[in-house]
Structure formats: C-alpha cells, structure tokens
Amino acid sequence: MIKFEGVNKWFGSLHVLQDIHLHVKPGEVVVICGPSGSGKSTLIRCINRLEKFQKGRLSVDGTPLHDYGINLTKLRAEIGFVFQQFHLYPHMTALENVTLAPMQVRKLNRKEAEELGREKLKRVGLDDKETSYPAQLSGGQQQRVAIARGLAMSPKIMLFDEPTSALDPEMIGEVLDVMVKLAGEGMTMCVVTHEMGFARQVAHRVIFMDDGQIVESGQPGQFFDNPQTERAAQFISKILTH
Amino acid sequence: MTLYYFQRLIEIFPFFLKGLWMTVAVSGLALLFGTILGFALGTLRASNSRLLKWPIGGYVAVIRGTPFVVQIFIVFFILPEWGIQLDAFPAAVLALTMLGTAFICEIVAGGIRAVDRGQWEAAASSGLNIFQQLRFVILPQAMQTILPPLVGQYVLLIKDSSVVSVIGVTELTRVGWVTVVRIPEGLMVFSLVGLLYFAISYPLIRLSNSLERKMAVQQVRL
C-alpha cells in the first residue's frame, strides 16, 4: 500500500530523512514514535506529498510519488490526514467541514453529501454537533470532526500526525477510542503518536525513529518490553516516566 | 456680492452634479476593474511562485513609489507616442485602475498570508485543487482581514480621482476649477466640491468602520 525505498530528504543542509525503507500493507496499523525532531512527522507528510523528498522512491496505492506530473489531488483524495492542531475550517459548521470535499471533489450533491456527513459524524459520536462551529467544540470534539472529515472521502489510508498531542488529557481517550474502532474495521493507518496504550492495543508494528533514521521496527509488545537498541530503550523509559 | 455669487452657484448646481456623476463613473469603473485585477494579482503574489512574485512586486513598488499625477501624464501623454491614443475618460479610468490594482493587490496578498498555513494543508489533504482551496477555505477567511482596509482603499481612490482633472476630465474637482473662474469665491466653490466628495466617501467610511467591528467580533467567535 505504502512503499518507501531509500527515501532521503534534506531541509537545506539538515538531513531529515535518511535512507528510509518501509512497507505498509493494506489493513496494517503502523505506529511511528521517536523524539521530537526525529523526522516522524516529515515521514508521514511525505505520504500525501505535503512534503517533497529529493532522493529515493515512494509509491502510495500504486502511484509513484517520485515521478513528475502525478495527479496530486487524486492521490490526496484517497488519503485522510489528521493534524495535531485539527485545522478545521473555522468559518464552517462541523457538517460543512465534513461535506466540503465530498461535494467538490467527489461531486456529490448536497443531499447525498449531508447524508454521508451525518453518518461520519455519527461514527465519531458527534451527530448532535453538526451545526456547531469549531470554536464551539472542545479540542477532543474538534479532532473527532477532523477524523470524520477525513473518513468522508472513503480513504484507503488514514494518516495521523500526533492526533492527541494538542489535547487536554481528559479528551485523549475519546479520540483514541475512535481510532481504535477504525483500526478494528481494517483501515490502513500510519499514526505518529506517543500513546503507548494505543500502540499496544491496535498497532501491528511500531517504528522508532531518531535523527531521520528508522532505528527500530517491531511488534509493539516486543518493542516496548524488549527494545533492541540503546536509543529506543532510553526513549521508552522517558515516555514511561513522564 | 456674496449672496449674488451664492445664487449663481445654485443656478449652476446641475453642472456640479454632472461633475459628481463623472467622478462616480471614473472611480466606480476603476474600483471594479481594480478589485478584480487586485484580487487576481494579490492571490498570485501570496503564492510561493517566485516567477510570479517578483514582477508583481515590481509593479506594486513602481505604482506606490511614484505620484499618481505622474502616472496619469504617462498614460495620457506618453502612451500616444507609442501609438496608444486614449481619450481623457478611458485614460483616467486606466490610470486609476492601475493605481487601485497595486494597493488592492497588497491588501489581498496580506489577507491571504494571514490565513494559517494549516488551512491550506488541510484543504489540500482532502483532495481540493488549488482553486477550490482558495474559493472555499482560504478566501472566506482572508476576507475578514481584507474587507475593512479594502473599503478604506475605495475611499482613497475616490478622492484620488480628483487628480484626473489635470487631463481635462470634467469631474467634480475640474468643475470646481472651471466655476471658480466665473464665481471668484474660492472658499464657497471648493466647500461645495468638498461637501460632494464627503457625501460619497462618508458612507463608505462608516461601512469600513462597521465592517472592522463586525470582523473583530467574528474573529472572537472563530
């Protein structure tokens, strides 16, 4: 589904992604963790081409991103992206946030789109908030609307960039619950997060990144209980004690 | 004597109304074209393309950095030497449009840049193309920053239209000049001219202020 082959990226002289090799299979849930600045956000932002890379090959759902002239909007329509800061459209209601892309990209009419939008809002437990504006919602609710917005395009892949890092602790659970449900339905997911409970519960694989490299990759139980590298062990002890 | 002149002034008041109409026509057309072009250029200027950024930046700098009266002279007296002969009215509209475009371009570009980058990323991520991103996500938010200064700019442009009197367009200011030759009461004549400008500017100033308040409230809501 997603295939990194020797991907390299530089920000100026900073080598932010170093020779990344990673295959994500359909239906797989991959959690990516690592210290800040390790390149994990950059990695998943490459998947829907919010970031470009300079060297290597990356294909997503059969589309080679290293080629010129690819149809970006078509690619992005198949990939849901959830941001740390939600980035809901502040001038639109929750329902309008969810229906915009289905109407404009998938060309659904308003009635079909609203039906679809309500269904997605219901799926994240917010069917009573469709007329609310983002500013009237809590952080956890906003992030769930953002997930519904991604799901409304019936994506083949969902990407999450630290979806709970900007949330108050009491709201993290409601967002993770939605993500756990999604994983249970067989969605292909790449999740940048430090939520170990989530990783243990649903991840098929945990990737540990440091300094732009994939340092370690393994099943969650094995990774958290028995890390193979010193750097991973240090990282795990830090997120456990904080 | 003053009373006599005042009566004469009232007699020729229709002449002032014609001048006012000419002012409204010149500045109205220039506002319309300037707004369309200003939004187009401003959007391009806010983009990341260097290819587009520099020529537009150069144009804006030249227009902002030279007096309007000089720009009018160039359009009206210099262009004919290159074979572009314009009547006074189209020349006035063209010059004022060029001026308006430059200022509106800056206002629009500033408004677009003020929208959080995450909004572009979210819109792009959901598969919207660049025009859909602008139309549905970016511009509606940018309008909150753009509208109050835009209306303020309209007021400035209407007042700047007085300068086109120098090429013989019989708009309000020129009516004043012509009248004062026959009615040598400068204060009286130009008070009337000023009053008529004020009559169209003041509603716009009020609009700009109320937009500013409204937008400030909306910003809190968002």
Side-chain angles (χ1 to χ4, degrees):
Chain A
M1 200 75 171
I2 305 169
K3 202 166 177 187
F4 287 80
E5 290 172 297
V7 168
N8 281 272
K9 178 177 174 63
W10 289 264
F11 279 127
S13 61
L14 194 65
H15 199 171
V16 285
L17 291 181
Q18 301 183 24
D19 209 26
I20 300 294
H21 289 269
L22 175 66
H23 290 199
V24 180
K25 294 190 286 283
E28 197 177 11
V29 177
V30 175
V31 162
I32 302 158
C33 62
S36 63
S38 58
K40 50 197 193 305
S41 285
T42 310
L43 181 84
I44 73 160
R45 286 164 62 90
C46 281
I47 298 172
N48 76 342
R49 199 61 187 285
L50 284 178
E51 301 284 352
K52 293 178 185 166
F53 53 92
Q54 285 90 6
K55 205 176 133 213
R57 302 163 68 80
L58 167 58
S59 2
V60 177
D61 190 29
T63 309
L65 297 202
H66 43 272
D67 279 356
Y68 291 101
I70 55 164
N71 188 340
L72 261 189
T73 54
K74 190 158 169 273
L75 170 85
R76 286 170 172 161
E78 308 297 331
I79 304 173
F81 199 104
V82 176
F83 298 86
Q84 182 178 351
Q85 302 292 344
F86 330 135
H87 296 323
L88 291 181
Y89 312 132
H91 58 298
M92 296 183 188
T93 63
L95 186 62
E96 286 165 349
N97 265 276
V98 177
T99 55
L100 177 65
M103 285 173 69
Q104 297 306 323
V105 182
R106 300 273 192 244
K107 306 294 178 200
L108 300 188
N109 65 37
R110 179 170 297 277
K111 195 166 157 280
E112 296 166 335
E114 287 184 347
E115 220 164 274
L116 174 80
R118 289 200 182 97
E119 181 209 319
K120 300 302 175 192
L121 283 176
K122 188 165 184 190
R123 202 157 152 201
V124 299
L126 289 173
D127 39 339
D128 55 336
K129 296 290 182 192
E130 63 174 62
T131 58
S132 301
Y133 284 89
Q136 298 165 324
L137 299 173
S138 73
Q141 290 169 332
Q142 288 189 52
Q143 192 61 299
R144 285 188 282 152
V145 173
I147 294 173
R149 177 173 68 179
L151 293 176
M153 294 295 283
S154 314
K156 296 176 178 160
I157 301 167
M158 284 290 286
L159 306 173
F160 297 82
D161 188 4
E162 305 211 30
T164 57
S165 301
L167 297 177
D168 291 336
E170 74 269 22
M171 294 172 182
I172 291 176
E174 62 190 69
V175 172
L176 289 180
D177 286 347
V178 170
M179 292 168 61
V180 168
K181 213 167 78 186
L182 201 54
E185 292 162 10
M187 177 65 77
T188 309
M189 293 164 65
C190 293
V191 186
V192 173
T193 185
H194 294 161
E195 295 296 334
M196 295 218 319
F198 174 79
R200 277 183 190 273
Q201 193 181 344
V202 299
H204 301 111
R205 211 166 6 140
V206 176
I207 306 279
F208 173 70
M209 287 186 73
D210 197 10
D211 281 334
Q213 293 164 322
I214 294 181
V215 177
E216 208 169 317
S217 162
Q219 289 180 341
Q222 175 208 331
F223 172 77
F224 287 116
D225 301 331
N226 189 17
Q228 301 299 303
T229 59
E230 181 65 21
R231 281 193 280 181
Q234 265 178 10
F235 175 77
I236 291 165
S237 78
K238 265 187 206 146
I239 57 170
L240 273 180
T241 52
H242 90 164
Chain B
M1 214 49 183
T2 308
L3 189 66
Y4 167 72
Y5 284 136
F6 186 69
Q7 281 167 344
R8 288 288 317 272
L9 196 61
I10 289 177
E11 272 168 38
I12 59 168
F13 186 66
F15 187 36
F16 277 82
L17 285 184
K18 266 177 126 171
L20 179 66
W21 167 244
M22 185 55 92
T23 290
V24 169
V26 170
S27 39
L29 284 172
L31 291 188
L32 178 68
F33 297 140
T35 303
I36 295 168
L37 288 170
F39 267 83
L41 292 189
T43 305
L44 294 174
R45 185 155 159 78
S47 78
N48 291 321
S49 159
R50 282 214 186 96
L51 206 70
L52 296 166
K53 234 163 145 175
W54 291 113
I56 298 171
Y59 169 76
V60 170
V62 167
I63 295 288
R64 293 176 75 176
T66 54
F68 181 47
V69 69
V70 172
Q71 294 163 17
I72 288 203
F73 281 144
I74 289 179
V75 167
F76 193 60
F77 295 119
I78 314 288
L79 286 189
E81 300 198 4
W82 300 334
I84 306 170
Q85 188 91 44
L86 290 177
D87 286 341
F89 182 76
V93 172
L94 175 63
L96 201 58
T97 298
M98 286 167 61
L99 182 73
T101 299
F103 282 96
I104 292 170
C105 167
E106 286 298 272
I107 293 171
V108 170
I112 289 176
R113 287 197 199 103
V115 177
D116 182 47
R117 207 167 66 97
Q119 293 291 315
W120 288 97
E121 292 188 345
S125 293
S126 66
L128 298 178
N129 66 35
I130 186 80
F131 300 106
Q132 294 167 330
Q133 291 169 33
L134 272 166
R135 175 162 163 220
F136 297 107
V137 178
I138 305 302
L139 281 178
Q141 295 181 62
M143 282 315 275
Q144 303 193 3
T145 324
I146 291 171
L147 264 183
L150 182 68
V151 176
Q153 188 61 47
Y154 286 172
V155 175
L156 292 178
L157 281 172
I158 290 167
K159 292 190 295 179
D160 282 340
S161 75
S162 66
V163 177
V164 306
S165 58
V166 298
I167 56 168
V169 178
T170 316
E171 44 66 80
L172 196 48
T173 302
R174 187 161 169 82
V175 167
W177 283 117
V178 172
T179 306
V180 87
V181 176
R182 284 175 246 165
I183 304 176
E185 284 276 351
L187 181 63
M188 194 194 280
V189 170
F190 279 101
S191 293
L192 181 58
V193 169
L195 197 68
L196 290 173
Y197 274 114
F198 188 74
I200 39 179
S201 301
Y202 189 63
L204 285 175
I205 294 171
R206 291 290 298 268
L207 177 64
S208 176
N209 288 344
S210 89
L211 280 173
E212 203 149 358
R213 271 194 305 273
K214 215 173 119 194
M215 294 308 172
V217 172
Q218 228 168 51
Q219 219 97 30
V220 171
R221 186 171 63 78
L222 293 184

